[in-house]
Structure formats: structure tokens, C-alpha cells
């Protein structure tokens, strides 16, 4: 099985930077995804890391260290609309079916305050 | 269609009733997934289809849950004899390729069907 941990809630100020951490334990690792989910809406794709290092995409960056089983999502220049849940998801080889399965963490609810 | 469409958006059922939730994936997407999301939790995997074949149903919580995708496009998740613990949002997601593809296989989610069992 897989074990994915991320903080339940975070609060940050508009215009600031926030880092949301995710740790995982799995075998057959094949990539880590971050999704954003506004209340009552569909999760939407933010980033994908499969190799170690930093991936930058506008105000959002995601980092991966496979040896440490660790990732973070960095949000810069926070805006009120960034208030949402951020889901860390790990893809791993599902030996039973010879394919890859995606498992989600419980999500981090981010509140951006003025 | 342009996105993944789910219906109904909201469903209230009395305990013991049967419900059917529909998912219309993006046209041409091979893979279709159903997830269950309880309040304040992340999505939990239920089942996976590659075209019309149900390749993985390991996440279905009981034999009251049944899913089908008979023509490899629209899928229906059916829950028989609903119970209060079935109350959750049921998310459908689709992707262009099958889960054997090792590259970035991004899932596109629908907005979900919120089921409340009284």
C-alpha cells in the first residue's frame, strides 16, 4: 500500500509565499501530481514530477526528492482565489494489474487572508 | 465533450434506495476512473475502466457497488440499498491513455455527484 501525508490546513497572507509539503512511502514509484480543488468543484491538475528537482510553472512550483519520499508545492504572490484544497497524489506500479495506480493524500486546505 | 460531465450533481436518497450516477468522459479518452471523496478527505479510488473493460474494481467497498461502461464511453456507478456511510461526493475522471502508459497521464475530473443518504 501507500502512505501519503500532508498537513490538514494552512493559512497564509495575500501576496506572501506558502509551501505545502507532502511525504509518501511507496514501492514502484512513477510520479507525483499536485491537484487544486476549490470547494464543490472538480480537482484540476497543477503539476507533475517524476525526476528529482524543481518544476516551475508561473506562480506555482513543485519539488520532488525521490530518495526522501518528499515533495512540496510552492505558491508565490498568493491571491485570494488560491484559497482551495491542494491534493498530493502518488502514482505507483500496481503489481496486481501491471499498470499504474494513482493514490491521493487527504489534501491540504489553504486559506488566504487579506 | 469539452470536459467530464457528471449527473446528477446532487442526489438525496433514503436509506435502502438504489441510486445511479452517470459520467460522460471526454470524447476519445481511453481510461475512466471512479473515486469516492468524503468531506474533508482526498479522493479514494473505486474502480477503473480501459475502454469498456473494467480492469480494476479493487476499491469498491462492497458488492452493493457496481459500475459499467458498456460501449467504452459513458459510465454508470450504481449503488444498491444505500446506507448512510455511502454519503460522499463521487468523482469521475478520464484520461487519454491507459494506465500502462508510464508518462504523465493527467486525469481530468468531473465536478462530482454529491450523494446524501438519509
Amino acid at each position: 500500500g501507500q502512505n501519503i501525508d500532508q498537513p490538514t490546513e494552512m493559512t497564509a497572507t495575500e501576496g506572501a509565499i506558502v509551501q505545502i509539503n507532502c511525504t509518501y512511502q511507496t514501492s514502484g514509484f512513477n510520479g507525483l501530481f499536485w491537484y487544486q480543488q476549490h470547494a464543490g468543484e472538480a480537482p484540476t491538475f497543477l503539476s507533475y514530477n517524476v525526476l528529482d528537482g524543481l518544476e516551475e510553472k508561473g506562480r506555482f512550483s513543485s519539488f520532488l526528492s525521490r530518495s526522501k519520499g518528499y515533495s512540496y508545492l510552492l505558491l508565490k504572490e498568493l491571491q485570494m482565489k488560491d484559497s482551495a484544497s491542494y491534493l498530493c497524489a502518488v502514482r505507483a506500479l500496481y503489481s496486481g494489474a501491471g499498470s499504474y495506480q494513482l493514490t491521493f493524500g487527504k489534501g491540504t486546505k489553504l486559506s488566504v487572508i487579506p | 465533450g469539452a470536459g467530464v460531465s457528471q449527473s446528477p450533481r446532487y442526489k438525496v436518497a433514503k436509506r435502502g434506495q438504489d441510486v445511479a450516477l452517470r459520467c460522460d468522459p471526454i470524447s476519445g479518452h481511453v481510461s475512466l476512473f471512479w473515486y469516492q471523496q468524503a468531506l474533508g478527505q482526498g479522493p479514494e479510488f473505486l474502480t477503473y475502466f480501459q475502454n469498456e473493460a473494467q480492469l480494476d474494481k479493487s476499491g469498491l467497498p462492497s458488492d452493493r457497488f457496481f459500475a459499467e461502461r458498456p460501449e467504452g464511453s459513458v459510465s454508470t456507478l450504481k449503488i444498491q440499498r444505500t446506507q448512510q456511510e455511502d454519503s460522499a461526493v463521487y468523482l469521475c475522471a478520464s484520461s487519454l491513455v491507459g494506465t500502462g502508459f508510464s508518462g504523465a497521464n493527467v486525469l481530468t475530473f468531473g465536478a462530482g455527484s454529491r450523494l446524501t443518504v438519509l
Side-chain angles (χ1 to χ4, degrees):
Chain A
Q2 298 181 43
N3 189 25
I4 302 171
D5 286 315
Q6 49 180 131
T8 305
E9 293 185 28
M10 298 182 72
T11 302
T13 305
E14 190 176 15
I17 299 172
V18 71
Q19 178 175 312
I20 303 174
N21 296 324
C22 172
T23 58
Y24 63 90
Q25 294 173 312
T26 189
S27 57
F29 175 84
N30 188 255
L32 188 142
F33 295 77
W34 284 95
Y35 280 80
Q36 180 191 59
Q37 187 177 27
H38 286 100
E41 298 183 11
T44 56
F45 170 75
L46 288 178
S47 68
Y48 168 71
N49 296 68
V50 67
L51 299 176
D52 291 351
L54 189 68
E55 294 281 342
E56 297 186 78
K57 192 187 297 183
R59 293 189 300 114
F60 292 9
S61 303
S62 57
F63 171 84
L64 175 69
S65 169
R66 289 170 295 170
S67 62
K68 295 182 179 177
Y70 169 69
S71 172
Y72 66 73
L73 179 69
L74 195 71
L75 293 76
K76 303 175 187 175
E77 300 168 16
L78 279 173
Q79 303 175 9
M80 299 299 289
K81 67 178 182 180
D82 297 329
S83 293
S85 284
Y86 291 85
L87 301 165
C88 171
V90 172
R91 188 168 69 194
L93 186 63
Y94 180 46
S95 59
S99 61
Y100 298 95
Q101 192 172 67
L102 192 65
T103 302
F104 285 84
K106 295 184 187 302
T108 299
K109 184 178 179 182
L110 174 66
S111 298
V112 180
I113 57 175
Chain B
V4 177
S5 178
Q6 293 188 245
S7 61
R9 286 295 316 275
Y10 303 93
K11 176 69 179 178
V12 179
K14 292 183 179 178
R15 190 161 56 96
Q17 282 185 332
D18 298 349
V19 299
L21 308 176
R22 175 189 167 105
C23 173
D24 203 337
I26 293 174
S27 179
H29 274 197
V30 167
S31 293
L32 186 145
F33 302 79
W34 283 98
Y35 285 83
Q36 181 190 60
Q37 187 174 27
L39 190 64
Q41 302 294 311
E44 296 269 351
F45 171 79
L46 293 176
T47 187
Y48 162 65
F49 290 86
Q50 183 168 303
N51 297 310
E52 69 279 2
Q54 188 175 23
L55 298 187
D56 186 352
K57 54 182 181 180
S58 62
L60 296 177
S62 77
D63 59 8
R64 296 187 295 106
F65 286 70
F66 171 77
E68 60 182 5
R69 193 187 186 197
E71 297 178 0
S73 54
V74 171
S75 176
T76 304
L77 176 67
K78 298 179 180 177
I79 309 173
Q80 298 177 322
R81 304 181 303 282
T82 54
Q83 303 188 2
Q84 286 188 320
E85 62 261 30
D86 300 335
S87 295
V89 175
Y90 291 86
L91 294 167
C92 175
S94 69
S95 68
L96 185 61
V97 296
T99 58
F101 176 65
S102 63
N105 188 6
V106 176
L107 301 189
T108 300
F109 282 85
S113 292
R114 180 179 295 276
L115 173 65
T116 302
V117 182
L118 303 177

